[in-house]
Amino acid sequence: MKNLEKTLRSVSENPKYIFRLTVQGVLVGFFAGLMVCLYRWLLAGSESVLRGYLSIIKGNIFFIVLFFIVLAILGLLIDWLTKWEADSAGSGIPQVYAEVKGHMEANWAKVLFSKVVSGVLTAIGGLSLGPEGPSVQIGGMAGKGIAKIFKGSKTDELRLILVGSAVGITAAFNAPLAGVIFVFEEINHGFDKTLVFIALVSAIVSDFISKIIFGQSTILNFPVLDIPLDSYWVLIILGVIIGLLGYGYNIGLIKSSDVLNNLKIPSWLKFVLVFMLSGVVALLIPEISDGGHFMMDILDVAIPSLSVLLVLLVLKYLFSMFSFSSGAPGGIFLPILVLGAYIGAIFGSVVVPAFGWQHDLIYRFIIISMAGFFAATVRSPITGIVLLAEMSGSTESLVAMIFVSLIAYVVPTLLGNEPIYESLYDRLLLNKNKELVKKPSKHVLSEYIVPLDCNYINFKIKDIPFPKNAIVVSVIRNGKYMIPTEDFNIIYSDQIHVLTDSNDYPYVRQEIEELFGG
């Protein structure tokens, strides 16, 4: 018992341990930040190549035929890469989630290479996929690489994967706070003070690198005007609309994935056909190609007519679902924000003239709707609100974003719809049918917060049905560290540390989260 207490104190309170983790956090911020910035730069270059080629291809049969030959080759390369490293397929966020939960053990170096290369290929192919999901996985795998180099504990490895994931959002959007919040709200689903500190350190380092490379200007530079307070009721309507559209998007994404996954054709042929169709879209409707930067640039120049906005929204919605459902490496983060922007533009184009407001007020609805649609689909409203505040460089829309995001969050939740990344995570484990591979035994120290609605508040530890292969080794209460006995009573907001074997960790975590209502 004394040896266990000494070990736990060295992890929880030892300044040397915190300093070592901080150094590792700085290295994760640097390495992951560089990798994500490289990925972001390569994607921008790939999209420029595609746009440049499309500008000279029209009317030239030879160039068009060459274009589709290249697309077929890209499809074959994507098929090879996703077979060579299966964990690089799709968004990347469900894979990080599965890794943190203990259900996967990815090869960090192979994932980094495959994800970056395949992301560039899908961008050249014009698929409507965003860079942010892959950026989260790239950051997470970079964090895992640093952990492997330092040969730390499994607990430290999981922490650095989460830290790297925060770097992914930070470097992709120049949004350090949103990156840190996203990790806790969407991936970790818990609060670890040490993790918060290290994640902030890494986020600041990576944000500095990102700003050196891409500049300090905010991603969105829209004019922002105030919505009259006596007209805030229109935000209720907007929130309900966004909630219903978010529900439809999540359902559509899963259904379309089922259709493409059930096609009785070889995977190489599927990817070739996907890239061919993407080429047709690029030739006929280039506005909806790629992740969505071009569509956002359209809004930045001027608000198109209502009919054009509606057509682009519907087509982007369909092409985004098709692209992601193909299983090609890429995310839905950016397409979700673009769809939200166009929902806001359409709503603003109707409401603003009807009330006789200034035309530029439409941009306020665009920003609000981006946060709202993120909340409706991903179901992480705090991340969406902070992200849009950082992207726009303004907190003036904060109250309106909160108002709409909460309504947009509630609507699909009441309709029984799961958050999109949780659905993708469940399907990832189901489709791969992965059994947890037995790994060399390592101890994992995980932390759980006792919520207010926990059924075991004021219960003694011995009376709580913790998994048999897990030990409650410490509790932090009101900032004070304690080694509990079996008669120790658990109360609200206790931070409970549980020690388990790495091979049992996925199931232990799931059982404890169910105990605490996680």
Side-chain angles (χ1 to χ4, degrees):
M1 187 67 179
K2 288 183 178 179
N3 289 334
L4 177 60
E5 182 174 350
K6 182 179 179 181
T7 300
L8 289 170
R9 286 188 182 277
S10 69
V11 171
S12 301
E13 297 180 345
N14 191 339
K16 291 183 179 179
Y17 171 76
I18 300 300
F19 177 75
R20 186 171 73 250
L21 262 188
T22 302
V23 172
Q24 293 177 22
V26 171
L27 292 175
V28 170
F30 184 77
F31 179 41
L34 282 178
M35 289 298 301
V36 174
C37 286
L38 172 65
Y39 182 65
R40 181 177 167 184
W41 180 77
L42 289 173
L43 289 186
S46 301
E47 292 179 3
S48 297
V49 168
L50 175 63
R51 297 290 171 190
Y53 194 74
L54 290 175
S55 67
I56 64 173
I57 195 176
K58 292 183 179 178
N60 189 312
I61 299 299
F62 174 76
F63 282 165
I64 292 175
V65 172
L66 180 62
F67 180 54
F68 281 98
I69 291 174
V70 170
L71 289 174
I73 294 172
L74 292 179
L76 293 174
L77 288 173
I78 290 296
D79 180 60
W80 180 80
L81 281 167
T82 52
K83 286 178 179 175
W84 178 69
E85 180 46 67
D87 292 333
S88 67
S91 162
I93 292 177
Q95 286 86 341
V96 171
Y97 190 63
E99 177 111 13
V100 171
K101 291 280 189 179
H103 290 287
M104 289 176 62
E105 185 66 44
N107 183 316
W108 67 272
K110 287 179 68 177
V111 170
L112 278 180
F113 177 82
S114 180
K115 202 72 175 185
V116 172
V117 174
S118 58
V120 171
L121 297 180
T122 56
I124 293 176
L127 272 67
S128 181
L129 296 169
E132 293 75 22
S135 295
V136 169
Q137 189 178 22
I138 289 169
M141 291 302 96
K144 184 174 183 176
I146 295 296
K148 293 293 186 183
I149 291 171
F150 277 84
K151 298 180 180 180
S153 67
K154 186 65 178 178
T155 303
D156 290 348
E157 181 181 309
L158 295 176
R159 277 176 168 163
L160 292 183
I161 290 173
L162 288 167
V163 166
S165 302
V167 168
I169 297 294
T170 298
F173 285 113
N174 289 358
L177 285 179
V180 174
I181 293 171
F182 179 76
V183 164
F184 290 98
E185 191 176 24
E186 182 59 30
I187 300 178
N188 192 51
H189 294 169
F191 189 84
D192 179 337
K193 289 182 179 179
T194 302
L195 180 59
V196 172
F197 175 73
I198 306 304
L200 283 171
V201 169
S202 295
I204 291 170
V205 171
S206 62
D207 186 54
F208 187 75
I209 293 171
S210 177
K211 283 182 167 60
I212 289 175
I213 297 173
F214 299 105
Q216 299 188 55
S217 60
T218 56
I219 292 178
L220 300 178
N221 296 298
F222 297 150
V224 179
L225 301 176
D226 291 327
I227 300 172
L229 290 176
D230 58 359
S231 300
Y232 257 51
W233 58 270
V234 302
L235 297 179
I236 299 176
I237 300 173
L238 178 59
V240 172
I241 292 172
I242 290 175
L244 292 172
L245 291 175
Y247 171 82
Y249 183 80
N250 284 6
I251 295 296
L253 198 65
I254 297 301
K255 295 293 184 183
S256 60
S257 295
D258 286 340
V259 171
L260 289 182
N261 288 334
N262 291 331
L263 289 177
K264 303 300 182 182
I265 59 175
S267 61
W268 66 265
L269 180 57
K270 180 186 73 171
F271 281 118
V272 168
L273 293 175
V274 166
F275 273 81
M276 289 290 191
L277 182 58
S278 177
V280 173
V281 169
L283 287 173
L284 300 178
I285 324 161
E287 292 84 359
I288 66 171
S289 287
D290 69 50
H293 292 108
F294 192 78
M295 285 181 65
M296 290 303 296
D297 289 342
I298 292 174
L299 296 179
D300 200 22
V301 174
I303 303 295
S305 65
L306 184 59
S307 59
V308 171
L309 288 171
L310 284 167
V311 170
L312 289 177
L313 174 66
V314 173
L315 292 178
K316 186 66 173 178
Y317 173 85
L318 296 174
F319 189 47
S320 167
M321 285 198 304
F322 169 77
S323 297
F324 187 80
S325 300
S326 70
I332 54 174
F333 218 98
L334 179 59
I336 283 173
L337 294 177
V338 172
L339 291 172
Y342 272 71
I343 293 168
I346 291 169
F347 187 83
S349 296
V350 173
V351 171
V352 168
F355 285 88
W357 294 333
Q358 285 183 259
H359 181 267
D360 282 352
L361 193 56
I362 294 176
Y363 288 105
R364 171 62 70 90
F365 288 107
I366 289 174
I367 293 174
I368 293 170
S369 297
M370 290 172 76
F373 198 63
F374 187 87
T377 52
V378 180
R379 229 60 58 80
S380 298
I382 301 175
T383 299
I385 292 165
V386 174
L387 176 63
L388 267 298
E390 290 187 287
M391 287 176 66
S392 63
S394 170
T395 58
E396 294 177 9
S397 303
L398 207 56
V399 174
M401 282 196 292
I402 293 172
F403 195 60
V404 171
S405 294
L406 290 178
I407 297 172
Y409 177 95
V410 167
V411 170
T413 303
L414 291 177
L415 293 174
N417 179 242
E418 284 190 340
I420 188 60
Y421 285 125
E422 289 191 16
S423 297
L424 294 173
Y425 163 73
D426 291 338
R427 297 170 74 79
L428 174 68
L429 298 185
L430 179 64
N431 291 337
K432 288 195 171 189
N433 195 23
K434 278 198 170 185
E435 293 293 333
L436 185 65
V437 178
K438 285 289 182 181
K439 303 179 285 286
S441 181
K442 289 184 178 180
H443 289 126
V444 180
L445 185 67
S446 50
E447 180 180 280
Y448 306 88
I449 306 295
V450 179
L452 188 60
D453 58 350
C454 177
N455 294 326
Y456 296 99
I457 289 178
N458 292 323
F459 274 56
K460 295 179 179 179
I461 286 180
K462 67 179 180 182
D463 296 326
I464 301 175
F466 284 104
K468 293 181 180 179
N469 44 359
I471 305 172
V472 177
V473 291
S474 65
V475 174
I476 295 178
R477 178 178 295 171
N478 299 324
K480 185 178 179 181
Y481 170 90
M482 294 173 280
I483 299 291
T485 65
E486 62 177 12
D487 292 320
F488 185 88
N489 280 40
I490 297 299
I491 65 172
Y492 163 62
S493 79
D494 277 349
Q495 295 171 247
I496 300 176
H497 295 125
V498 176
L499 193 68
T500 187
D501 186 271
S502 58
N503 290 306
D504 298 322
Y505 172 67
Y507 314 108
V508 167
R509 176 163 182 154
Q510 183 176 346
E511 289 182 40
I512 295 178
E513 286 180 347
E514 289 174 358
L515 278 179
F516 290 163

